[in-house]
């Protein structure tokens, strides 16, 4: 994660069978975060609970989506596109402090 400006961050993420890297992201409350994602292998998805983030992650392409995290807490993110037998263990969290 890198800070672009006050309360603006960018996170580069890679999806691969069956994990997100990174799978834990810490941001300050009130931050606007842009997620830039790609896949190493098959089509994945990223859905962050409690936010409008819902994006397909396609091999060879970069997907970008942004969200503002106003409320402190933990926001679960999951792969929402079936990617194989371990799909159910592909998750992580955004921790808003």
């Amino acid at each position: 994660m890198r800070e672009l400006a006050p309360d603006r961050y960018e996170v580069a993420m890679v999806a691969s069978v069956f994990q997100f890297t990174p799978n834990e992201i810490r941001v300050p409350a009130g931050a606007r975060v842009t997620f830039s994602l790609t896949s190493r292998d098959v089509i994945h998805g990223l859905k962050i609970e409690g936010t409008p983030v819902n994006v397909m992650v396609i091999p060879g392409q970069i997907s970008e989506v942004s969200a503002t995290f106003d409320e402190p807490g933990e926001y679960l993110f999951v792969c929402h596109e079936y990617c194989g037998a371990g799909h159910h263990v592909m998750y992580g969290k955004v921790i808003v402090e």
Side-chain angles (χ1 to χ4, degrees):
M1 184 172 78
R2 68 183 181 133
E3 187 173 12
L4 302 175
D7 289 327
R8 296 215 27 133
Y9 296 87
E10 179 183 55
V11 174
M13 295 177 72
V14 176
S16 59
V17 178
F18 300 104
Q19 65 184 354
F20 288 103
T21 304
N23 69 349
E24 184 175 293
I25 301 158
R26 292 181 179 269
V27 299
R32 177 127 181 112
V33 181
T34 298
F35 298 89
S36 298
L37 303 106
T38 193
S39 170
R40 288 193 178 145
D41 41 41
V42 299
I43 294 174
H44 296 282
L46 176 72
K47 169 74 175 125
I48 302 177
E49 298 296 322
T51 75
V53 172
N54 184 344
V55 65
M56 298 298 297
V57 185
I58 301 168
Q61 296 184 18
I62 296 174
S63 300
E64 286 192 345
V65 63
S66 298
T68 301
F69 294 89
D70 291 320
E71 295 295 322
E74 292 187 0
Y75 296 79
L76 177 70
F77 59 83
V78 298
C79 177
H80 65 68
E81 185 68 27
Y82 183 75
C83 55
H87 169 73
H88 64 286
V89 298
M90 191 169 175
Y91 60 89
K93 61 185 168 182
V94 177
I95 301 170
V96 180
E97 304 173 314

